[in-house]
Amino acid sequence: MYAKLMAVVVQHWLLLFGCWQDPWRSLVKASAVVRSLALQGLEVLCGFCRLRLLVDQLSRMMQSGCRVNPRSTEPCLAQLLLDGLDWLLT
């Protein structure tokens, strides 16, 4: 149980560092990127010299992919906020 809790905390911090500031990034897709590189993260724990390289790789992968798909029927929150939600009518 503690190992899963620690993994969630690490994943959360990597998401904060990698894509939290961009509303057009999908946190679900970014979480999949973090999980895909989890084994490399375990290898880094043996030697901290490659930690910065792994975090930079995660950040690049999150910035190049992990886009929110725009929807015409049910717009996502990023679309509502950035495309101009009429705040007076809602």
Side-chain angles (χ1 to χ4, degrees):
M1 183 172 103
Y2 288 119
K4 286 185 180 185
L5 180 62
M6 287 176 21
V8 169
V9 170
V10 168
Q11 178 180 0
H12 177 72
W13 280 105
L14 290 171
L15 290 175
L16 286 177
F17 178 76
C19 67
W20 190 263
Q21 67 279 3
D22 188 0
W24 284 104
R25 298 288 169 222
S26 169
L27 296 178
V28 174
K29 293 177 183 178
S31 297
V33 168
V34 172
R35 286 191 303 272
S36 71
L37 295 177
L39 290 178
Q40 290 179 3
L42 288 175
E43 291 174 1
V44 167
L45 290 177
C46 296
F48 288 102
C49 60
R50 297 184 303 165
L51 179 62
R52 183 67 188 170
L53 295 173
L54 179 66
V55 172
D56 288 340
Q57 180 183 5
L58 277 168
S59 181
R60 282 192 309 272
M61 289 175 73
M62 287 179 192
Q63 294 302 317
S64 66
C66 303
R67 299 271 306 162
V68 172
N69 298 327
R71 301 181 297 236
S72 60
T73 56
E74 292 184 28
C76 64
L77 181 62
Q79 283 178 277
L80 292 175
L81 293 176
L82 298 176
D83 290 344
L85 178 66
D86 190 3
W87 293 99
L88 298 175
L89 296 176
T90 58

